[in-house]
Amino acid sequence: MGTREVLKVHKEKQPNGKIFEKWEMGSYHWRTFNEIDRRVNMVASGLKHIGHPDQGSVVLFAETREEWMTTALACFKRAYPIATVYATLGEEAVLFAFKEVAADTIFTSEALLLKVRKAMQNGAKIKNIIYFDSVDPGKKGESIESDDPYTLMSFEQLLAKGEENPLPKVNSISKKEDVAFIMYTSGTTGNPKGVLLTHENVIAAQAGQAECIPVSVGDTYIGYLPLAHILEVCGEIVCLAKGVKIGYSSEQTLFDRAPKILKGQKGDCFVLKPTLMTCVPAVMDRIYKAVVDEVNSQNQLFRELFRTCYERKRSRYEEGYTSYLLNYLVFNKIRVMLGGEVRAVLSGGAPLNPDTQRFMNICFCCPVVQGYGLTETCGGGTCGEIDDISTGYVGAPLSSCVIRLREWKEGGYSPYNEHPQGEILISGKNVTQGYYKNPEKTKEDFIELDGTRYFCTGDIGEFREDGALKIIDRKKDLLKLSHGEYISLGKVETNLLTNPHVENICVYGDSDKSYVVALVVANQKNVTTMAENLGVNTSNFEKVCKNKKVNEALLKELQNHASGKLERGETPQKIFIVHEPWTPASGLLTEALKLKRKNIENTYKKELQAMYSS
């Protein structure tokens, strides 16, 4: 496992008074598998020495880093259930998870200690807090107090205690039925749910997933998605099982133009040169827009040349050919953005726009393999084949699970349609036993059919003749308009998100109306350029977004963008332009960057009503 050193953190004051951090980065420092195993045993011994009870839960509330996975491996060995909590969860959700688990010991990062202390002030009972040192060399020890009424120690201090007081044998004592994770979902509505995943669930999912993408000891995987997300956990466990080295990163330092990379410095991908990575669609949409913006900023001759090369390579790619000359002249220069060595990208967590998938294939010269799974199925469901060049499909069921389609008459989906369709039900040894301390929700989401227990995903799927699955809708995202037609809000959003003027979008519909509207988070750079071309004063971006001429121009732009991709009834007829980005911290996105529809609708209730009343 490798961690990149942060040499110095520079503070840059912005015109609006905000302070942005820019990191001066060094090299990756590596630990061998033997060294990691030694640290794992030291953590296990250290936990025993400080009095953590047998079978007692441990909370992991920290960003993605080597210490997170090292701690998890120690807990696996000693049969300590791990409660994973997103580092970006709001205070209320963090408090809920802490109280529900009631763990004696929590592992967190130095930067999150204030959140932990606040939760304790509000009733969370924690005996031992182990913190990972700040990555900022200038901030180490800044948040530490010595008179706390609980055990507080650094991760390094815990390792030292484990080394001084080693267990006679640190063999794995876990049984297959023991709980490995209580994995708290980020949740699009209400409090997060704790999904119970046993060691059998984890191994079954890993066995099925490892068959999909051939990985070997020579590969390098870049870990940057939250380890509280099942997709990242699955990716890293498969890599560890195959002897693949993992270099840690974050979305803030992934690329040369990432928010925390100091100008002139290189991002983690360039330095690490990974061969494998996982992505959620939101990240790939950002990569897509970044490349499009870069191309559009060039002169007309360059833009035409790029478009011609892109279309030529796409034509050859879809016929099964490789374009070595075009790669050498054009696309290898773009490929360097991901380090230049990536041979496969695994996409999961949400549907990926087919245009974005094909763009990644062509510009980054590697397959994008879509998978489908949920926290409740330990990330296991389906996975595409690395040689499948089609778009929009998430592959065939993994060998460790069974998928069944259930008829949904109201939506017109049936396994007996020309192409089998219906709600996706998943069974197998990778499927959770249920939700932690939530029997009502467990009863609601799990059913038994023909003697087999299934998890009801709420997603609508369609099987291709060769057994590959396509996610075509989500039940709760389907809206019936006044004329009786169903609209898939997710489908509309996925298509419009690829427009360079759109940073994010939430489509909304009133069942008593005949059309949908949209809240559009504007891409500041491109919408400002649009406003300048319209002769609008751009000194205040909030006023730009409220300008009627800009609104009309952006609406027309989106309707043109949707032409040929969406039906007229699916295309928003009115929009409200949002000037501030949506983030997990604002409560409008989940930690997996999915929309929290109810929160968004409540926040913009007045604006949504105005669009339908005007």
Side-chain angles (χ1 to χ4, degrees), residues 452-472:
T452 301
R453 182 173 177 270
Y454 289 92
F455 170 63
C456 306
T457 66
D459 293 319
I460 305 297
E462 175 183 291
F463 272 119
R464 197 166 62 184
E465 288 181 359
D466 65 356
L469 184 68
K470 183 178 186 178
I471 311 301
I472 55 176

Side-chain angles (χ1 to χ4, degrees), residues 467-593:
L469 184 68
K470 183 178 186 178
I471 311 301
I472 55 176
D473 272 320
R474 181 151 180 80
K475 283 175 76 172
K476 66 181 181 182
D477 286 350
L478 284 169
L479 173 74
K480 194 175 188 179
L481 295 178
S482 61
H483 47 59
E485 183 182 354
Y486 275 98
I487 301 294
S488 170
L489 303 180
K491 174 190 171 186
V492 178
E493 289 157 356
T494 299
N495 276 281
L496 296 181
L497 259 175
T498 56
N499 187 283
H501 296 85
V502 177
E503 197 66 33
N504 214 328
I505 186 168
C506 178
V507 178
Y508 175 82
D510 184 332
S511 296
D512 295 328
K513 306 295 182 182
S514 61
Y515 61 93
V516 295
V517 298
L519 299 165
V520 180
V521 180
N523 178 291
Q524 186 166 351
K525 177 185 172 184
N526 293 329
V527 170
T528 298
T529 301
M530 174 185 278
E532 288 171 349
N533 293 336
L534 293 168
V536 174
N537 186 314
T538 58
S539 58
N540 184 312
F541 188 61
E542 184 175 357
K543 289 182 179 178
V544 168
C545 293
K546 291 180 179 178
N547 186 278
K548 186 178 179 182
K549 287 167 68 176
V550 174
N551 187 290
E552 290 172 352
L554 183 54
L555 176 60
K556 186 177 180 181
E557 164 69 23
L558 294 181
Q559 290 174 339
N560 289 338
H561 182 82
S563 179
K565 301 174 185 175
L566 300 173
E567 300 294 332
R568 175 172 169 76
E570 296 175 310
T571 307
Q573 298 303 302
K574 294 181 182 180
I575 62 171
F576 176 81
I577 305 175
V578 180
H579 72 281
E580 289 185 328
W582 294 339
T583 65
S586 68
L588 302 180
L589 297 181
T590 71
E591 279 59 35
L593 305 180

Side-chain angles (χ1 to χ4, degrees), residues 3-7 25-30 271:
T3 302
R4 194 175 178 194
E5 184 181 7
V6 179
L7 300 175
M25 309 283 284
S27 304
Y28 270 90
H29 297 280
W30 295 91
V271 175

